[in-house]
Amino acid sequence: DQQVKQNSPSLSVQEGRISILNCDYTNSMFDYFLWYKKYPAEGPTFLISISSIKDKNEDGRFTVFLNKSAKHLSLHIVPSQPGDSAVYFCAAIPLTGYSSASKIIFGSGTRLSIRP
Amino acid sequence: DAGITQSPRHKVTETGTPVTLRCHQTENHRYMYWYRQDPGHGLRLIHYSYGVKDTDKGEVSDGYSVSRSKTEDFLLTLESATSSQTSVYFCAISVPDRVRGNEQFFGPGTRLTVL
């Protein structure tokens, strides 16, 4: 049973427009939510995170929104650029101590393609 | 860049043979992880380590073992490789961060094919 779900395997967006990637989760005990970006033949890289006590976090063109009542988070990229074409993984960290191992739970990923 | 390297980067092997993948880090991080990435599944945790000789199982640990005899090296062993273990394997380290929540940094990955 997947605790973190990304129901859209792919998304195509025109350059300059907004990209919205969605993620749903089932466990209310997650402490942090993260988005990772992955290019082919490379490891995932951290993009942005949000604490479970917040509902929005913004970093430049990237904004993550958290709706705890709906158990849903989304990543907004605006404006979308060609270099944003990649696979995006939604992820969640269960509530643990600050100095504990972080057993991140990943979604299955969404492939974002930015078209000219 | 968290100074993580993985070796080999690519490997083709036959069913039933043992395989060891190596993860090496240069920054003395305590926590290390092994994931596998498969289409439709994202990244799934195989094993993790919270110190030298201290390891524990993850979500998909069957068929895998790990060892950590030095802080900088975390080895993943497939005792008898099967075709279902064909995957891309990623090593990661985590850095506790009160703001960003124990962010993980990933190595470049090892593509393993079991024929």
Side-chain angles (χ1 to χ4, degrees):
Chain A
D1 183 29
Q2 285 187 303
Q3 297 186 60
V4 178
K5 297 181 182 180
Q6 294 176 259
N7 293 317
S8 298
S10 63
L11 176 68
S12 178
V13 174
Q14 190 167 21
E15 182 178 357
R17 307 293 291 267
I18 183 170
S19 295
I20 301 176
L21 294 94
N22 294 303
C23 178
D24 297 299
Y25 62 95
T26 58
N27 187 343
S28 298
M29 295 304 291
F30 287 131
D31 195 20
Y32 279 88
F33 299 90
L34 311 92
W35 285 94
Y36 279 82
K37 178 179 181 179
K38 185 182 179 306
Y39 292 119
E42 295 183 9
T45 55
F46 173 84
L47 188 59
I48 191 169
S49 67
I50 187 168
S51 165
S52 60
I53 63 172
K54 296 186 181 294
D55 54 22
K56 178 182 175 181
N57 187 28
E58 190 172 355
D59 184 2
R61 296 186 298 114
F62 303 92
T63 303
V64 56
F65 295 92
L66 177 61
N67 182 334
K68 287 184 284 293
S69 61
K71 293 190 175 66
H72 177 84
L73 67 156
S74 60
L75 174 67
H76 292 212
I77 306 173
V78 54
S80 299
Q81 299 175 353
D84 296 330
S85 294
V87 176
Y88 290 79
F89 291 102
C90 171
I93 303 179
L95 183 64
T96 60
Y98 163 71
S99 60
S100 299
S102 59
K103 294 191 286 184
I104 297 180
I105 299 172
F106 287 86
S108 54
T110 296
R111 182 178 301 278
L112 175 65
S113 301
I114 306 301
R115 58 183 190 272
Chain B
D1 183 2
I4 305 169
T5 57
Q6 292 184 231
S7 59
R9 294 293 314 277
H10 301 271
K11 185 170 183 67
V12 179
T13 190
E14 293 187 351
T15 297
T17 60
V19 176
T20 295
L21 309 183
R22 180 183 183 236
C23 176
H24 180 78
Q25 54 124 338
T26 59
E27 298 184 4
N28 209 35
H29 295 293
R30 177 180 176 187
Y31 301 105
M32 299 184 74
Y33 309 80
W34 276 108
Y35 291 88
R36 59 179 288 175
Q37 186 201 356
D38 303 290
H41 291 279
L43 289 96
R44 292 180 291 175
L45 182 64
I46 305 171
H47 282 279
Y48 66 99
S49 170
Y50 43 96
V52 173
K53 292 186 173 24
D54 291 324
T55 65
D56 206 347
K57 296 179 180 179
E59 178 188 2
V60 289
S61 59
D62 287 349
Y64 302 95
S65 62
V66 290
S67 65
R68 192 165 178 203
S69 59
K70 299 184 290 185
T71 298
E72 58 265 35
D73 289 325
F74 192 31
L75 304 181
L76 177 71
T77 297
L78 291 66
E79 300 290 349
S80 177
T82 67
S83 59
S84 65
Q85 293 176 310
T86 293
S87 186
V88 181
Y89 291 86
F90 289 99
C91 174
I93 60 95
S94 64
V95 179
D97 186 305
R98 292 189 186 277
V99 175
R100 284 146 66 112
N102 288 13
E103 177 183 345
Q104 288 192 5
F105 296 87
F106 287 82
T110 294
R111 182 173 294 278
L112 175 68
T113 301
V114 183
L115 301 176

